[in-house]
Structure formats: C-alpha cells, structure tokens
Amino acid sequence: MAKNEVKRLSPKQRQRDIDAFEAVKGISGYSPSKPTARVDDIQAVHDAMKTAQTEEVQAYGVADEKRDIATAKEWEFHNGMLEVAEQVIAQYGSDSNEIQKLGYKKKSEYKSPTTRTTTTPTNG
C-alpha cells in the first residue's frame, strides 16, 4: 500500500496504472489469489474512479460558474454602495456625521494642502 493516500497521484502514475490495467486484461489465465486483484473487481474500481474524476471536473466547472456569479454580485453590491455614498454626500454633505457612519472620513479630517517653499543654495 502507498505511504500517503491523502495526496493525489501524479498524472504520470495514474497513466501507468491505467496502462498496466489494460495490459493485465490481455493476460490469458490471470487468476489472482487475492479477490480484490481480480480484473472484474479492478474494473469496478476503475469505473468508479472515472466517474469520480468526471464528477470532479463537472464540480470544478460549477464552482467556477458560482465564483463568477459571486464576483459579479460583489461588484454589483460595491457599485451600489458607492452610489449610496454619493447620495449621502449629496444629501448631507461631505463633512457630515452620516458620511462618517458609512466608514468614510469627513472632509475636514483631511489635511489641508500646504505650499512648500524651496530654498536655493547660495555660494558664499
């Protein structure tokens, strides 16, 4: 048995297993002592694996679709909240407590721009 059956097998290893399975199906007289190593049992496990892989791919497709829908709704909500902020500013002003309640700074909380004076070096 494998050491770590939680990690996915590499695509290369999976293909080797499939190739070996196809080869063992062609061996005439193959009669294992372990019943779980019979071709019919391995075929059932192979079929279940293919079904699970197909369902996984389909689930990823659904997840991608759901993520795209969620992203679109997040942006729709964000844009709506930007419009709410615009309307609060229009109704109450940019220096109001109401705009602060929405998580924005009041206009008076921003520093006023200052002019910088530059000094010229003198040779002296």
Side-chain angles (χ1 to χ4, degrees):
M1 291 294 139
K3 293 187 285 185
N4 189 355
E5 293 186 10
V6 177
K7 292 171 67 175
R8 299 290 298 258
L9 291 172
S10 69
K12 187 176 181 179
Q13 182 60 55
R14 286 194 308 263
Q15 190 58 50
R16 273 194 234 132
D17 289 343
I18 291 169
D19 292 345
F21 174 60
E22 295 299 326
V24 80
K25 287 195 296 187
I27 297 174
S28 63
Y30 174 70
S31 178
S33 59
K34 284 185 143 186
T36 55
R38 293 184 333 193
V39 172
D40 291 343
D41 287 352
I42 296 297
Q43 181 68 55
V45 173
H46 175 267
D47 293 345
M49 175 191 73
K50 295 301 280 179
T51 299
Q53 289 173 333
T54 300
E55 289 172 353
E56 177 188 28
V57 169
Q58 291 170 348
Y60 278 129
V62 169
D64 288 345
E65 178 185 359
K66 297 295 183 187
R67 185 179 47 249
D68 291 346
I69 290 169
T71 300
K73 294 301 178 186
E74 288 168 3
W75 276 104
E76 185 178 348
F77 177 73
H78 175 70
N79 290 332
M81 289 310 298
L82 291 175
E83 290 176 7
V84 166
E86 283 179 12
Q87 291 303 304
V88 168
I89 290 171
Q91 187 172 352
Y92 297 100
S94 60
D95 201 35
S96 66
N97 290 333
E98 288 76 13
I99 195 67
Q100 191 175 32
K101 287 178 184 178
L102 297 182
Y104 292 91
K105 283 185 175 182
K106 291 181 178 182
K107 188 173 185 179
S108 63
E109 291 177 353
Y110 289 97
K111 287 184 178 179
S112 299
T114 58
T115 58
R116 293 172 53 167
T117 58
T118 58
T119 58
T120 56
T122 58
N123 292 338

